[in-house]
Amino acid sequence: MRAQRVWNVNGAASIGQLQSRLDDLNKRLNQLESQHPESWKVEELKSSALSLSREIDDIRCAEATAALRELLRK
């Protein structure tokens, strides 16, 4: 049996919170890139932004899969 990721989230609220964090992170990243393009912090922020965007995608995919499963069950 394959392992499945289990999400204990409140769908839209969690995605909204993560999206807000990602937006803030992207703003800081843009500011830092314009001021210090060679800074190690830029790479760290990029990594964090990618991680958050993947988390958002994973939640959205899990929700879509659950919705499709419900439709197919009917």
Side-chain angles (χ1 to χ4, degrees), residues 23-60:
D23 292 343
D24 291 342
L25 193 58
N26 282 326
K27 285 177 190 174
R28 288 188 303 185
L29 183 56
N30 286 333
Q31 291 170 347
L32 188 59
E33 280 182 319
S34 66
Q35 295 170 358
H36 308 285
E38 300 301 320
S39 174
W40 60 270
K41 191 74 171 171
V42 170
E43 292 305 315
E44 186 178 302
L45 288 175
K46 284 181 182 179
S47 177
S48 295
L50 283 172
S51 178
L52 272 176
S53 64
R54 285 185 190 117
E55 191 172 344
I56 291 168
D57 286 346
D58 286 347
I59 293 170
R60 286 184 175 149

